[in-house]
Amino acid sequence: MAKSKPIGLAWRSSTLFIVSTVGIGLFTDLFFYGLIVPLLPFMLKERIHIPPDQIQGYTSGLLAAYAGASVLFSPPAGVIADRVSTRQAPFLIGLMALLGATLMLFLGKSIAVLIVARILQGTSAAVVWTIGLALVLDTVGPDNLGKTIGSIFGFISIGELAAPVLGGVLYKKAGFPGVFGVAFGILAIDFIMRLFLIEKKVAARWEEPQEGQSEEDAQQNEEDGNTEDANEEEPLLRKKEEENYKVPKGQSKAVRSYPILFCLKDPRLLTALLMALTQASLLSTFDATIPTEAEQLFGFDSLKSGLLFIALVLPYLILGPVAGWLVDRYGPKPGAVLGFGYLVPALILLRLARPGGTPQIVIFCVLLSLNGFGLAAIGSPSIVEASTVVGRYHKANPDFFGEQGPYAQLYGLNSMVFSAGLTLGPVVSGALKESVGYGNMNAIVAALCLVTATLSFIFVGGKPKMLKKR
């Protein structure tokens, strides 16, 4: 017997609701990461009574537990997601892990409990990012991926950048209960949205006529896309290019079990992962250094430092969807090259801020806004380029990669790299700021952006014609 049609099927399976649910899920992960990290030293000191000279070591260990769990569990999460029939179940399981981690952090009074909590938090991050991005691709398709990712990244950047300051303010005003009260409230909203979510392929069971129409539309769109590609490239070159994505027989057991490994030989995919690493490092570098620099330059407390993030986040939030639309229309190369290239002078100019009153504060805000434009430009190219490359391998080898393709494996890999960037950014930038100063630190980060822009020009979207002739 057929199951009855779920209540609210239309809006629960709508593109807007699914994308919003994924956005809230990723926001929750980054918000919690930024909210908890500044409180770890206080937890160690006030609850567990760790000696002051050991707090830094334990704090670093708890940070490593999160990063290690996220890196370790991202690839398996991708494999599982590609093999299950629906992505909602693992998406909910990831949230349950985050709920358990939050409860343990709120109530824990031993170092062992805090370590387990951070491992659960890292595991949740691996699952949420992997499943969430795969859900977005399932929902909007590759043609609309850029603007969708741009919108999501613009939104979640608020959580990543502002959470540490908000956590500090809440802790100062209301203590741990105030901080975790906000955390549990966001968790409740996230849980309700994930519970109500119905994937489009599941909703199609009750909407067969629409399903048929969607398949026709999808097929027509694919044909249109193929026609467009054919107009852009000569047929012989296109055939030769498709051969480059064929997977030879006799692959190792590791590659057969985790097919995305074969794709890692492609410099386009490796460059896309480098873009993700650089993007995450930039976000976490701003997160780690803006409050301390504002305190040194202007004597700002945590609340005033938090307001500075508005200058950085607002351009990202407004221009993220526009930049993503441009990536969908013109490909990821222009956005990657121009975005990372633009950030080189924007980062270097941050050294112009000096101690002083309102005029210097305005200058610092303007400089942060300039960097916000660059962050908006680099939000989408990495995911779009990686998805395009893996999509070509999947199309050329449908039997090898399976019906759903290795997209969740790809996003598991992307989650691992992004988590590494979020972890390395504060550590490296903090050490550089102390040793060479804020201005020189940003110059070094700018050099990383220059390298990324150069490699993007060479590899993203394929080699330029000027290099192919040589």
Side-chain angles (χ1 to χ4, degrees):
M1 293 179 63
K3 294 182 179 179
S4 59
K5 184 176 179 179
I7 298 174
L9 177 65
W11 66 265
R12 291 170 63 184
S13 61
S14 67
T15 299
L16 177 61
F17 184 75
I18 294 174
V19 171
S20 299
T21 301
V22 173
I24 290 293
L26 299 183
F27 173 90
T28 301
D29 173 68
L30 285 182
F31 183 83
F32 276 41
Y33 176 86
L35 192 70
I36 298 302
V37 169
L39 300 182
L40 291 177
F42 299 99
M43 292 181 183
L44 293 169
K45 178 182 178 181
E46 297 176 14
R47 286 192 193 168
I48 308 178
H49 308 294
I50 299 294
D53 60 339
Q54 298 180 24
I55 287 179
Q56 182 60 58
Y58 278 106
T59 301
S60 299
L62 291 171
L63 290 172
Y66 172 93
S70 183
V71 169
L72 185 64
F73 285 99
S74 289
V79 174
I80 293 171
D82 278 335
R83 294 180 180 177
V84 297
S85 59
T86 175
R87 305 201 195 274
Q88 184 187 29
F91 205 38
L92 279 169
I93 291 172
L95 187 63
M96 292 300 99
L98 184 57
L99 175 60
T102 307
L103 283 169
M104 295 175 77
L105 287 169
F106 182 41
L107 302 173
K109 294 184 178 180
S110 71
I111 192 66
V113 172
L114 294 186
I115 291 174
V116 173
R118 292 292 287 169
I119 291 174
L120 280 175
Q121 195 178 6
T123 303
S124 171
V127 173
V128 168
W129 279 86
T130 301
I131 306 298
L133 292 176
L135 254 176
V136 170
L137 181 63
D138 291 345
T139 303
V140 305
D143 292 338
N144 297 306
L145 187 62
K147 62 185 177 185
T148 306
I149 292 296
S151 302
I152 291 176
F153 271 53
F155 170 65
I156 66 176
S157 65
I158 300 174
E160 201 279 330
L161 292 170
V165 179
L166 179 61
V169 172
L170 287 172
Y171 175 75
K172 183 178 179 181
K173 299 294 183 181
F176 289 116
V179 175
F180 283 96
V182 171
F184 285 121
I186 294 175
L187 270 174
I189 296 172
D190 194 359
F191 175 76
I192 292 171
M193 294 186 71
R194 293 195 205 190
L195 193 63
F196 282 171
L197 182 145
I198 299 177
E199 298 172 59
K200 286 191 177 294
K201 61 185 178 183
V202 176
R205 300 171 189 171
W206 290 277
E207 300 177 348
E208 291 184 5
Q210 293 181 7
E211 179 188 19
Q213 187 178 6
S214 298
E215 287 177 358
E216 282 182 21
D217 292 343
Q219 186 175 358
Q220 184 62 44
N221 289 337
E222 186 176 349
E223 289 174 1
D224 293 342
N226 291 340
T227 302
E228 185 179 342
D229 290 342
N231 292 334
E232 292 178 357
E233 298 181 15
E234 296 178 8
L236 290 177
L237 290 176
R238 189 176 168 198
K239 268 189 178 180
K240 184 178 179 182
E241 187 174 294
E242 287 180 358
E243 286 296 320
N244 293 333
Y245 294 98
K246 286 287 186 182
V247 177
K249 295 182 179 179
Q251 296 298 317
S252 66
K253 184 178 179 181
V255 173
R256 292 196 307 271
S257 301
Y258 196 55
I260 195 68
L261 290 175
F262 182 85
C263 304
L264 287 176
K265 71 171 190 174
D266 196 309
R268 289 180 61 182
L269 180 57
L270 292 176
T271 305
L273 293 174
L274 173 64
M275 288 193 288
L277 179 71
T278 305
Q279 179 192 8
S281 300
L282 279 169
L283 287 171
S284 56
T285 293
F286 283 122
D287 190 13
T289 60
I290 287 176
T292 56
E293 185 67 10
E295 193 276 331
Q296 293 173 6
L297 291 177
F298 315 122
F300 277 7
D301 57 18
S302 59
L303 179 59
K304 291 180 180 179
S305 297
L307 295 176
L308 286 176
F309 282 97
I310 296 175
L312 182 69
V313 171
L314 196 58
Y316 196 171
L317 183 63
I318 295 173
L319 295 179
V322 177
W325 177 82
L326 291 173
V327 168
D328 287 334
R329 185 172 179 84
Y330 299 106
K333 185 190 286 287
V337 176
L338 295 176
F340 284 107
Y342 166 85
L343 279 166
V344 174
L347 285 163
I348 293 174
L349 286 173
L350 283 170
R351 68 170 58 244
L352 296 179
R354 295 286 184 269
T358 300
Q360 287 298 322
I361 296 172
V362 171
I363 290 174
F364 194 48
C365 288
V366 170
L367 295 175
L368 289 176
S369 296
L370 292 177
N371 281 272
F373 291 122
L375 291 177
I378 66 173
S380 304
S382 171
I383 290 292
V384 173
E385 173 71 355
S387 301
T388 300
V389 173
V390 171
R392 293 188 177 184
Y393 280 103
H394 181 214
K395 185 178 179 180
N397 309 272
D399 295 334
F400 181 77
F401 290 106
E403 183 181 352
Q404 294 195 96
Y407 298 104
Q409 296 173 44
L410 168 65
Y411 298 140
L413 194 62
N414 184 83
S415 171
M416 181 176 71
V417 171
F418 202 85
S419 296
L422 290 177
T423 304
L424 290 173
V427 175
V428 175
S429 63
L432 287 173
K433 185 173 181 290
E434 289 184 2
S435 59
V436 299
Y438 184 67
N440 292 329
M441 176 212 77
N442 281 311
I444 294 173
V445 178
L448 173 62
C449 289
L450 180 61
V451 171
T452 306
T454 304
L455 292 175
S456 298
F457 175 74
I458 296 172
F459 295 114
V460 171
K463 286 187 178 181
K465 291 182 179 180
M466 66 178 70
L467 296 180
K468 285 183 178 180
K469 292 178 181 179
R470 295 181 179 181

